[in-house]
Amino acid sequence: MPIFEPGLPEIINKVRGRNLEFSTDIVSAIKQADMVFISVNTPIKEKGVGAGQTSDLRWVESCARQISQIAEGHTIV
């Protein structure tokens, strides 16, 4: 996995294929999902209000907008 979190590989290996799936087919995955986790980079803002002090959430917002356009029914984000 391209991220590091202590203990995460063991957890993923335990539940992968049962109730946790990964996909690069974004549209299909979002349409079928009951729950979507957003996991993106949130670096410190370099410009604007809060620059140097707060997280840049533009990638979170971008993902949330894409999910809202694709999701069908009730999807937890």
Side-chain angles (χ1 to χ4, degrees):
M1 280 192 296
I3 59 172
F4 173 76
E5 181 68 35
L8 185 60
E10 293 80 14
I11 294 169
I12 298 300
N13 289 334
K14 184 177 178 181
V15 298
R16 183 178 233 161
R18 289 191 354 215
N19 60 357
L20 178 66
E21 298 177 25
F22 297 90
S23 176
T24 56
D25 182 356
I26 296 169
V27 173
S28 177
I30 291 173
K31 283 184 178 184
Q32 295 175 23
D34 294 321
M35 184 179 294
V36 177
F37 290 89
I38 297 175
S39 179
V40 296
N41 191 17
T42 53
I44 299 297
K45 285 179 73 172
E46 295 180 2
K47 299 178 185 176
V49 176
Q53 299 177 5
T54 189
S55 296
D56 182 347
L57 299 178
R58 68 180 139 172
W59 305 118
V60 175
E61 181 181 357
S62 175
C63 288
R65 289 182 186 278
Q66 184 175 21
I67 293 165
S68 73
Q69 292 171 353
I70 298 170
E72 297 177 349
H74 299 283
T75 305
I76 299 169
V77 180

